Amino acid sequence: MKRLLTLALVLCMVVGVASAEVTIAFSQIGQESDWRTANTDSVKKAIEAEGWNYVYDDAQQKQENQVKALRNFISQNVDYILFTGVVSTGWDEVLKEVNEAEIPLILLDRMPDNMDDIEYAAAFGGDFVEEGRRMAIWTKNYVEKLGRSDEELNVVILEGTTGADAATGRQNGIMEILKDTPNLKVIASQTGNFTRAEGQAVMESFLKAHDKIDVLLAHNDDMALGAIESIKAAGKVPGKDIIIVGCDSPKTAFDAIIAGEMNATIECTPLYGPFVVDALKRLMAGEDLGRELIHPEESCFDAEGGIVFTLDGKLSEKAADKIGERQY
Ligand code: GYE
């Protein structure tokens, strides 16, 4: 019995030492959307499954909280820092401090500007400009399918967080396509901060200000889902009176598409956990990742499937066929 106890104690110590050996810290933006929650869960699960120590900070959408979190990580002398910046600018000083502390930095999702003088070991993010293009191309082709290409249609846009590359990129992609699509006319474009509540509020004000809104492009599905509530409250039929296209493609958007209240969503995967763990293992083994960038998303989901959604001619998939595979 005594021997068994000693063995158990030694085992606990070994496991304890092994898991305390590496500490990974993650400075996350907040919990503004289904995408973000899934992203946080994916990273946490994958890191904890390796038995590594995990330190997490939720900045509640505030840049100053992130700066504080990064400085805390430095003073705790963590081994690796994962970082998603809420906006693109204003990180130069604190990221230099991370570099001076010689803590390898991995950028997730949103990329800061001015990175020429900052060292980072790896970066994973979506191609936001391409996602915006896909939203607009799908819409253009859907309108054509409805036989409405000669009709002038009024478009409103719900933008993501101002100053975030996820928002500027998607907006640029959308506008790049719409500038050559004269029948789709943007009559209003405003931030809804990537949240359901603000999407709902801004859509309500759009509906009050404009009698005729034919299309809503939302930089994420949460804002589209919030907007659907305002559209219903205004006595209009979402998905029919107003064509609604979002981005991210969580299950909640699939449900809305299957219910006919939303028309399409462009994929942007939040499931970074396995990529991050793979990168960390390679870095721990001394490999130089050469700041690689991965864009793992490739689909668009709608009610029917078959509508072209990229410049190189990819076809959308039917949401009802794919919802079972969805992990977020
Ligand atoms: O689309 C949105 C989230 O940065 C790609 O942030 C991410 C975006 C995502 O809040 O839902």
Side-chain angles (χ1 to χ4, degrees):
M1 185 64 188
K2 202 165 165 207
R3 221 189 278 158
L4 256 182
L5 272 179
T6 320
L7 188 69
L9 197 70
V10 168
L11 258 178
C12 281
M13 281 167 68
V14 170
V15 172
V17 168
S19 53
E21 244 169 7
V22 182
T23 299
I24 320 288
F26 182 16
S27 166
Q28 175 65 292
I29 296 174
Q31 305 169 48
E32 73 283 4
S33 63
D34 288 350
W35 191 100
R36 189 66 52 201
T37 315
N39 179 249
T40 305
D41 289 352
S42 168
V43 171
K44 177 181 186 323
K45 260 194 212 136
I47 287 179
E48 290 184 344
E50 295 301 321
W52 296 329
N53 247 347
Y54 181 57
V55 180
Y56 175 74
D57 185 88
D58 173 338
Q60 304 189 348
Q61 305 288 326
K62 293 201 176 80
Q63 183 167 36
E64 67 260 31
N65 290 348
Q66 291 205 273
V67 171
K68 263 191 226 148
L70 290 170
R71 292 198 168 125
N72 272 336
F73 295 163
I74 296 172
S75 59
Q76 289 171 49
N77 201 20
V78 302
D79 298 295
Y80 295 88
I81 291 180
L82 311 175
F83 171 61
T84 301
V86 63
V87 289
S88 310
T89 55
W91 303 108
D92 312 23
E93 210 179 300
V94 71
L95 293 185
K96 266 188 201 129
E97 291 169 29
V98 170
N99 280 174
E100 279 156 19
E102 295 183 5
I103 303 172
L105 174 68
I106 299 182
L107 305 172
L108 298 187
D109 170 24
R110 299 187 185 168
M111 299 299 140
D113 289 345
N114 281 338
M115 290 304 279
D116 289 349
D117 297 330
I118 302 289
E119 288 297 319
Y120 58 94
F124 301 94
D127 185 340
F128 303 130
V129 178
E130 179 60 20
E131 289 164 3
R133 288 187 195 116
R134 289 173 176 185
M135 290 173 71
I137 292 172
W138 187 91
T139 307
K140 182 179 170 213
N141 291 344
Y142 182 62
V143 162
E144 206 174 286
K145 194 182 158 208
L146 295 176
R148 298 178 71 183
S149 296
D150 294 331
E151 212 180 301
E152 180 153 305
L153 298 176
N154 288 344
V155 178
V156 296
I157 301 177
L158 285 170
E159 300 169 21
T161 304
T162 306
D165 61 343
T168 28
R170 286 176 186 163
Q171 185 75 355
N172 290 343
I174 290 171
M175 298 316 285
E176 185 189 309
I177 302 300
L178 292 193
K179 75 174 186 334
D180 297 325
T181 316
N183 72 311
L184 294 177
K185 197 175 137 220
V186 179
I187 55 163
S189 183
Q190 204 179 305
T191 183
N193 217 12
F194 280 133
T195 67
R196 248 176 227 227
E198 284 180 66
Q200 181 169 353
V202 176
M203 189 68 201
E204 191 185 325
S205 69
F206 283 166
L207 286 159
K208 279 192 185 132
H210 305 279
D211 288 338
K212 185 180 178 310
I213 297 176
D214 304 293
V215 178
L216 162 65
L217 302 180
H219 286 187
N220 80 346
D221 292 321
D222 289 77
M223 292 189 293
L225 294 169
I228 286 172
E229 297 309 314
S230 296
I231 293 169
K232 285 184 188 164
K236 302 203 178 198
V237 183
K240 305 223 162 35
D241 295 340
I242 301 180
I243 298 166
I244 304 171
V245 179
C247 191
D248 285 352
S249 64
K251 270 190 189 138
T252 44
F254 279 54
D255 287 337
I257 291 171
I258 293 166
E261 295 189 334
M262 193 170 153
N263 301 84
T265 176
I266 298 296
E267 184 168 50
C268 172
T269 182
L271 305 178
Y272 285 1
F275 294 103
V276 169
V277 163
D278 178 60
L280 283 167
K281 283 185 176 164
R282 287 161 63 191
L283 292 171
M284 286 174 199
E287 201 178 315
D288 182 353
L289 299 187
R291 297 178 158 200
E292 69 188 270
L293 258 163
I294 290 187
H295 299 144
E297 72 265 356
E298 52 182 29
S299 269
C300 164
F301 305 94
D302 56 30
E304 299 297 335
I307 292 185
V308 174
F309 72 96
T310 63
L311 290 172
D312 52 17
K314 279 205 162 191
L315 297 178
S316 60
E317 302 188 69
K318 198 170 161 183
D321 291 344
K322 295 287 168 181
I323 188 164
E325 293 167 21
R326 218 61 194 155
Q327 291 172 49
Y328 60 98

